Amino acid sequence: MNRMLVFSILLIAVPLIDSLFLGNVFGINWHSPKLMYQVGVYLVPIKLLLTLVGIVLLLRIQMRAWRKAGKYTLLTAGILHSCLLALICMSYLIFGDKTKFYQENGNIHLYTADTGAMGKSYHYFYFICRGKFGFFSPIPISREDWLGQFSFEQSGDQLVIRQLNNDQTNVITRDIPTNSCK
């Protein structure tokens, strides 16, 4: 098989597989969820560039008969993926990324989803189990409806959320599944 063909297939397929099936940054959980989200944001233009290079290389390859169908299928997938990545890049430039919706306090991680947009807003709390070499596993603690202004901390095996409403403090506690860490 032609080296240029293999190289172009890899340049189109690897970013596409990462985008469709593996989650942010090939599904690697290293250091913190916030860092992995930021790395994923910075990888979008790189994946776009790699896909465009793969498309250009694939267009330069001459093929005959049944291989043309595979070439045009891969080209179509690459072009659609490039359009999607370009839209994502534009949305990051116009609206910014969602880094501010990630918070950490010790081993407790919080992601706030859909703040002020369409639909309900939720807070997702996770316990981060630390492993070797900086890798981690997120263990879900709870999903809370919009809390407004609040603070959170770990107290023993409890997640303590202090909701601040008009000079009153509402305290919510949830059990942390620390025994789920391997």
Side-chain angles (χ1 to χ4, degrees):
M1 198 185 264
N2 186 351
R3 286 184 187 176
M4 196 159 139
L5 176 62
V6 171
F7 193 59
S8 64
I9 290 171
L10 286 175
L11 286 174
I12 294 171
V14 171
L16 181 64
I17 290 169
D18 179 50
S19 295
L20 293 178
F21 303 112
L22 300 178
N24 282 344
V25 196
F26 296 99
I28 297 171
N29 290 331
W30 183 73
H31 189 20
S32 73
K34 183 177 183 176
L35 175 72
M36 295 315 299
Y37 173 76
Q38 290 172 325
V39 170
V41 168
Y42 290 118
L43 274 180
V44 170
I46 294 169
K47 290 194 299 188
L48 176 61
L49 181 65
L50 291 174
T51 303
L52 290 174
V53 169
I55 290 170
V56 169
L57 289 177
L58 195 57
L59 285 172
R60 291 183 174 183
I61 298 172
Q62 297 297 320
M63 293 187 179
R64 287 180 250 134
W66 60 272
R67 286 188 174 187
K68 279 188 177 182
K71 174 183 173 178
Y72 290 120
T73 302
L74 188 60
L75 274 174
T76 303
I79 290 169
L80 291 174
H81 188 229
S82 296
C83 292
L84 179 64
L85 290 173
L87 286 172
I88 293 170
C89 285
M90 292 300 294
S91 72
Y92 286 151
L93 289 174
I94 294 170
F95 303 114
D97 62 10
K98 295 182 179 184
T99 305
K100 62 184 175 187
F101 300 123
Y102 287 87
Q103 295 179 35
E104 293 181 23
N105 188 351
N107 284 339
I108 305 294
H109 172 76
L110 164 68
Y111 173 68
T112 303
D114 208 26
T115 57
M118 298 176 282
K120 284 188 97 170
S121 297
Y122 295 104
H123 302 287
Y124 294 91
F125 291 91
Y126 296 94
F127 183 75
I128 302 298
C129 296
R130 305 279 176 195
K132 293 182 179 182
F133 308 112
F135 292 99
F136 69 89
S137 329
I139 307 295
I141 299 173
S142 74
R143 180 186 87 173
E144 304 291 332
D145 286 337
W146 179 253
L147 296 171
Q149 191 174 18
F150 68 96
S151 64
F152 65 95
E153 64 185 20
Q154 180 178 355
S155 177
D157 285 343
Q158 295 281 315
L159 165 65
V160 179
I161 305 167
R162 288 185 175 79
Q163 187 178 13
L164 311 169
N165 291 331
N166 301 330
D167 298 331
Q168 292 180 338
T169 302
N170 184 22
V171 178
I172 302 168
T173 59
R174 301 285 184 250
D175 290 330
I176 299 174
T178 54
N179 58 352
S180 298
C181 293
K182 297 175 184 173

